[in-house]
Amino acid sequence: MIIKKKGPIKGSMTVPGDKSISHRAIMLGALSEGITEVENFLMGDDCLSTISCFRSLGILIDLESSSHRVTIHGKGLDGLSTPANHILNVGNSGTTIRLLSGILCGQKFSSTITGDSSIRKRPMGRILTPLEQMGADIISANNDLKAPLKINCSDKDSLLSIDTNHFLRGIHYQSPVASAQVKSCVLLAGLYADKETKVTEPALSRNHTELMLSEFGASVTVVGNTASLLPRPRLTGRRLNIPGDISSAAYFIVAALIVPNSELLIKNVGINPTRDGIIRVCQMMGADISLENIRKDGGEPVADIFVRHSNLKGIEISGSIIPTLIDEIPIIAVLSCFAKGKTIIKNAEELKVKESNRIEVIVNNLSAMGADIRATYDGMIIKGGNPLHGATIDSKMDHRIAMAFTIAGLAAEGDTQILNPECVNISYPDFFKSL
Ligand code: S3P
């Protein structure tokens, strides 16, 4: 894929449904009694992996791809059945493997969960620790704290006679990392626990699991950075309308900010405060960006975002804002190249364990485009103002890298070549068409 300098970007658009919320809609729909109808579902490869896993677990799911509609025929908390060969494949999806592992630990059947070569390199010790504390028998098959993960539930029959359906212990888990995947894994396992499950995290990560569990009828309380869930709720199917994904909107927000004379309205975007760090960063940098028509849909705040090309200044991005923009750091790094002065990104070590080592990949690719950028152990320092020029960008098959550098290419002199651009299918199959 070759990207050439282009502009201005004008008009109005929508972005596809939120990836995190789409995953959770399938999972909670499956564990609910009755039908869940989902509108604006993200038909990206990661969410399709979640659908495929739940179909393997015996859940009937109807897909209308062209209208982004999904119907899930939920079977309740105990309605999942043994997958063929006991194996589930999550493809490239970190959210699927970590959240589904929590659910699988609460089942009466054993299973093995695995994924593609990227997933098999990502750390799973972060979920093995709390799940073991809850009494689950879950091990990493190669003893390296990575997938495949084997979940052994074969001795639950004896447990059953003692206390029906309470397979796990409720715990209070102090998570060392601000990760919604870890928090959600523990809370979903907590559906099958004997008493309340609590998770405290060092900074608040995205709270879609807590919000959606409440919407489906679970008893969830949140105090500060601690979420608590009472076990064995009766979840009931419902209608859900998924807001546009702010992580996908971020590419177009930045495109409008860095391409001269641009003016763009992005309609129906989720602006949950645990996800809106990108908006706050744009505001701190001095961007002309505003939220219009703010409303709530299915427990999630939504708005239309209006953004214009702006003169920007560098800032420091660190601390509790990091989990609210963790997936946007590749595109924020691109934005920072167009801001006057230094942008410092700190406390973002988590970038090293995403679909690629994003600190390394961002720094290498932006350096190749002529940016003044340096990696640090937990982030990067970018001196804005150097004009970017085209280069060959190795996306490392990481969707967020491919999209961020496509946007960089719009404002760079000469041709930018994106290798393996098809990886955008993970979260935004129509990205190039929208652009
Ligand atoms: C996600 C949580 C985040 C994020 C990922 C989606 C989720 O990961 O990076 O893209 O849906 O819960 P971590 O929980 O590992 O930070």
Side-chain angles (χ1 to χ4, degrees), residues 19-20 24 95 98 126 178-181 206 326-327 354:
K19 177 155 88 75
S20 294
R24 286 155 173 86
T95 304
R98 296 204 177 105
R126 53 181 59 198
S179 159
Q181 292 179 354
R206 66 192 65 193
I326 190 73
D327 290 342
K354 295 294 178 190

Side-chain angles (χ1 to χ4, degrees), residues 9-17 243-257 262-271 278-279 282 288-295 302-308 407 428 431 434-435:
I9 289 170
K10 286 194 186 241
S12 83
M13 67 180 299
T14 54
V15 288
D245 196 328
I246 192 166
S247 299
S248 299
Y251 304 104
F252 291 91
I253 292 173
V254 170
L257 285 173
S262 297
E263 200 173 275
L264 186 64
L265 180 67
I266 313 173
K267 291 184 185 162
N268 191 39
V269 183
I271 51 154
I278 175 74
I279 309 274
C282 292
D288 185 352
I289 184 167
S290 54
L291 301 182
E292 300 175 354
N293 193 14
I294 298 174
R295 57 212 185 265
V302 178
D304 302 337
I305 300 173
F306 183 70
V307 54
R308 273 202 196 105
I407 301 303
Y428 198 161
F431 173 72
S434 294
L435 190 57

